[in-house]
Amino acid sequence: MIAVVVAEDQALLRGALCEILSRTDDIQVVGQCARGDEVPAEVVRLRPDVAVLDIEMPGLDGLEVARQLTSVAPATRVLMLTVFGKPGYLRRAMNNGALGFVLKDSPPDQLVDAIRRTANGERVVDPELAITALRRGDSPLTPRETEVLAASRRFPGTADLARHLHLSAGTVRNTISTAIQKLAATGRADAARIADDNGWL
């Protein structure tokens, strides 16, 4: 029997996932989490074979949870479940220790198969997403450029953005300008959009 913990913040979807898995003969949902920051302790307590993690969760996102699980529960294998087919998310998930990456609009039998294969230690990735990730490569942005672009979505003014990041306005302008050039963007908002679309933020 494959023991599974499901982490998904939307209650309706979490319930549907658990219902689908309960209909199998070889998978048992032993725990559920609605927040990312609940997952590490729950996985340590329950010791499941597989943790199914949504990427977008309150508390901690699934990518960070996957990274933490490699330390606190290395025997538990991680399968990422997301509505976002972003190549950067795939790369980050794999770098953080996830074995699988499945889109939420996949058929139920594909999810069940992915859990079984993940439990066996196999890599499970949507083929088209894998090809796109390989084609686009790693993020061209530095950690500083990523941080500034991500924050710029909440702080559109340079002065406010600089205060929030504890940087000078000149540093913020130069960092954004470099990011715009690297992404071949038309401006700050376009650069943030391109980076977000690729899962680099």
Side-chain angles (χ1 to χ4, degrees), residues 32-193:
Q32 300 179 39
C33 298
R35 296 177 53 89
D37 50 9
E38 298 171 349
V39 178
E42 197 69 350
V43 167
V44 167
R45 183 176 74 83
L46 297 169
R47 302 195 177 280
D49 301 298
V50 178
V52 178
L53 308 178
D54 183 21
I55 286 185
E56 300 278 333
M57 290 187 289
L60 285 177
D61 66 43
L63 297 169
E64 174 59 21
V65 172
R67 188 190 68 76
Q68 291 189 16
L69 291 182
T70 61
S71 297
V72 302
T76 296
R77 292 172 171 144
V78 174
L79 175 67
M80 306 303 301
L81 185 64
T82 182
V83 71
F84 303 107
K86 299 179 179 181
Y89 278 178
L90 171 59
R91 282 183 171 270
R92 286 162 59 194
M94 297 307 174
N95 289 341
N96 286 4
L99 276 183
F101 195 98
V102 177
L103 300 179
K104 286 185 180 177
D105 61 359
S106 301
D109 59 339
Q110 190 172 323
L111 170 62
V112 170
D113 179 62
I115 290 173
R116 289 174 178 145
R117 290 172 60 196
T118 300
N120 286 333
E122 298 177 43
R123 283 216 179 271
V124 184
V125 179
D126 178 90
E128 287 187 22
L129 185 57
I131 290 168
T132 302
L134 289 171
R135 189 173 63 243
R136 294 190 185 174
D138 291 322
S139 171
L141 303 173
T142 65
R144 169 62 58 82
E145 290 159 359
T146 301
E147 178 189 29
V148 172
L149 269 188
S152 73
R153 295 180 298 178
R154 291 182 293 134
F155 300 92
T158 300
D160 290 339
L161 181 57
R163 272 193 298 275
H164 171 72
L165 296 172
H166 306 291
L167 299 171
S168 71
T171 297
V172 166
R173 279 193 294 271
N174 290 340
T175 302
I176 289 176
S177 176
T178 302
I180 288 170
Q181 290 175 13
K182 286 182 177 180
L183 299 175
T186 58
R188 176 189 300 193
D190 189 43
R193 179 194 59 76

Side-chain angles (χ1 to χ4, degrees), residues 6-27:
V6 174
E8 162 62 56
D9 63 319
Q10 297 180 30
L12 188 61
L13 181 54
R14 188 171 65 252
L17 289 171
C18 293
E19 174 64 24
I20 289 168
L21 298 180
S22 72
R23 295 176 187 163
T24 66
D25 295 329
D26 58 340
I27 297 174

